[in-house]
C-alpha cells in the first residue's frame, strides 16, 4: 500500500480515537498554562507556535506554492522568517533565484518593537519580507497590504494578531478575498474556544469571543471557504482547530 493511502487510513482512525483526543486536550491545557508556544525558534527568530502547526504550514505552503503570503501578527518575527524561508525553498525547487523571484511575505503588526525590527532588518532572508506597522484592521494598513497583493495570483493568508471575535471577523473581511482558490486562510488561536473559560485572564479573548467564534460566524456568509478538517484530524494538537480554511470557489 502507498504510504499516502496508509496515512489517510491512520488519520481517519486517529480522528475518532477518544483516548488520543482526551490526552491531546489535557496536553494542550497544561502546555498553554506552561507557555509552551514561547519555546521555539525558526532560523534564529522566536516563533510563537506549536510545532505541529509549523509542520502543517510547511505542508500547505509546499502544496499551494504561493507567490505571496500575507501575515498579521509579527511579534519576534519567527513566523515571518518561516514564510520567507519556505518561499525561498519554493523558488529553489522551481529553479528560480530567490533574490530575483517576486515571491514575498507581507507582515503586519500594530507594534514592531525596535529590537525585533532590527533583528529582522539584519536577517539574511529580509529581502523576502515587507513589514507594515499598523493595526491590521485599520483602513490605511488594509490599503497598503492590498496594494502589495497587486499582480499576485497564488496568495495565502495567515491571521495571528488580536484574537477577539470582532477583530478576527474584521481581518477576515479585509483579507480573505485575496486568498486564491485552492489556497488557505489560516486563522490561529481558534483553540481558545475549546479551553476552560478564563484561560487568558490578562487578554480580552475567552470562550465565546475568539477566532473560532469569528470563523464560524464568517463562514455562514462565505461558502467559498471550507474548514479543512483533514488537517485538524491529522494534527490532533493544534492552536488552530477549525482555523485551516481552504478556498474552494
Ligand atoms: C501571537 S503574536 C504573533 C506571533 C507570530 N505570528 C509568530 O508566530 O511568532 C501576536 C502579535 O499581534 C500583534 N497585534 C495585536 N493587535 C494587533 C492589531 N490590531 N493589528 C496588528 N497586529 C496586532 C501583537 O503586537 C503581537 O506581536
Amino acid at each position: 500500500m502507498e504510504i499516502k493511502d496508509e496515512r489517510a487510513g491512520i488519520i481517519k482512525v486517529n480522528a475518532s480515537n477518544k483516548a488520543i483526543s482526551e490526552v491531546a486536550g489535557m496536553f494542550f491545557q497544561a502546555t498553554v498554562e506552561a507557555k509552551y508556544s514561547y519555546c521555539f525558534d525558526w532560523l534564529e527568530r522566536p516563533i510563537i507556535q506549536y510545532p505541529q502547526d509549523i509542520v502543517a504550514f510547511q505542508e500547505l505552503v509546499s502544496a499551494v506554492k504561493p507567490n505571496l503570503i500575507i501575515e498579521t501578527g509579527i511579534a519576534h518575527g519567527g513566523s515571518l522568517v518561516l514564510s520567507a524561508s519556505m518561499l525561498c525553498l519554493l523558488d529553489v525547487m522551481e529553479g528560480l533565484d530567490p533574490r530575483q523571484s517576486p515571491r514575498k511575505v507581507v507582515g503586519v503588526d500594530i507594534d514592531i518593537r525596535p529590537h525585533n525590527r532590527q533583528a529582522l532588518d539584519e536577517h539574511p532572508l529580509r529581502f523576502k519580507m515587507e513589514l507594515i506597522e499598523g493595526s491590521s484592521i485599520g483602513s490605511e494598513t488594509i490599503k497598503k497590504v492590498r496594494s502589495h497583493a497587486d499582480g499576485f495570483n497564488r496568495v495565502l493568508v495567515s491571521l495571528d494578531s488580536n484574537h477577539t471575535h470582532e477583530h478576527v471577523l474584521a481581518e477576515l473581511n479585509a483579507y480573505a478575498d485575496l486568498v486564491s482558490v485552492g489556497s488557505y486562510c489560516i486563522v490561529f488561536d481558534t483553540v481558545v474556544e475549546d479551553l476552560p473559560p478564563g484561560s487568558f485572564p490578562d487578554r480580552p479573548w475567552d470562550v465565546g469571543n475568539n477566532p473560532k467564534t469569528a470563523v464560524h460566524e464568517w463562514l455562514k456568509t462565505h461558502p467559498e471557504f471550507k474548514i479543512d478538517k483533514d488537517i485538524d484530524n491529522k494534527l490532533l494538537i493544534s492552536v488552530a482547530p477549525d482555523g485551516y480554511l481552504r478556498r474552494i470557489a
Side-chain angles (χ1 to χ4, degrees):
M1 193 193 285
E2 287 283 329
I3 175 76
K4 288 199 173 169
D5 297 331
E6 188 186 355
R7 184 191 291 164
I10 293 170
I11 291 170
K12 198 166 169 219
V13 171
N14 288 354
S16 54
N17 182 325
K18 286 215 166 65
I20 296 182
S21 57
E22 238 178 79
V23 173
M26 282 162 62
F27 172 83
F28 212 93
Q29 203 174 317
T31 53
V32 164
E33 283 163 20
K35 296 199 162 190
Y36 173 73
S37 65
Y38 289 84
C39 296
F40 305 97
D41 282 347
W42 190 268
L43 293 176
E44 302 182 4
R45 290 309 301 152
I47 181 166
I48 308 172
Q49 296 291 351
Y50 274 51
Q52 287 79 358
D53 290 301
I54 296 175
V55 173
F57 185 80
Q58 174 275 138
E59 288 190 359
L60 284 187
V61 172
S62 147
V64 169
K65 299 183 177 46
N67 42 24
L68 176 69
I69 298 176
I70 296 168
E71 290 191 23
T72 67
I74 295 175
H76 302 268
S79 58
L80 208 64
V81 175
L82 168 63
S83 291
S85 66
M86 287 301 302
L87 295 176
C88 286
L89 287 175
L90 288 179
D91 286 338
V92 169
M93 287 167 79
E94 292 172 11
L96 302 172
D97 175 350
R99 287 188 180 272
Q100 304 302 326
S101 125
R103 282 202 166 100
K104 66 180 178 182
V105 54
V106 177
V108 178
D109 202 294
I110 196 166
D111 180 16
I112 306 177
R113 297 195 192 149
H115 61 283
N116 288 329
R117 184 183 283 277
Q118 187 183 344
L120 287 173
D121 282 345
E122 290 169 358
H123 198 278
L125 299 184
R126 178 67 172 86
F127 68 95
K128 277 290 188 203
M129 308 171 194
E130 300 282 353
L131 307 185
I132 297 173
E133 187 162 52
S135 173
S136 55
I137 60 169
S139 57
E140 274 310 303
T141 309
I142 295 171
K143 219 189 281 173
K144 282 186 199 160
V145 172
R146 295 187 73 92
S147 75
H148 276 294
D150 272 353
F152 287 87
N153 60 358
R154 295 193 74 75
V155 182
L156 187 145
V157 170
S158 156
L159 305 178
D160 189 21
S161 67
N162 177 323
H163 301 309
T164 62
H165 177 98
E166 284 311 318
H167 188 87
V168 176
L169 202 55
E171 285 189 324
L172 284 164
N173 287 329
Y175 303 115
D177 68 304
L178 296 172
V179 174
S180 317
V181 176
S183 183
Y184 284 77
C185 180
I186 307 171
V187 184
F188 284 100
D189 277 29
T190 47
V191 74
V192 174
E193 181 68 4
D194 307 331
L195 291 166
S199 291
F200 301 90
D202 54 343
R203 303 289 193 166
W205 45 86
D206 204 339
V207 175
N209 169 19
N210 57 65
K212 190 186 270 189
T213 57
V215 162
H216 288 173
E217 181 177 330
W218 186 80
L219 284 177
K220 286 180 197 159
T221 51
H222 291 274
E224 71 276 22
F225 282 85
K226 193 170 181 284
I227 293 169
D228 190 337
K229 277 284 182 192
D230 290 347
I231 298 178
D232 300 343
N233 291 342
K234 167 157 65 177
L235 295 182
L236 301 169
I237 289 171
S238 165
V239 302
D242 288 5
Y244 287 91
L245 309 182
R246 182 174 160 85
R247 183 153 192 183
I248 54 170

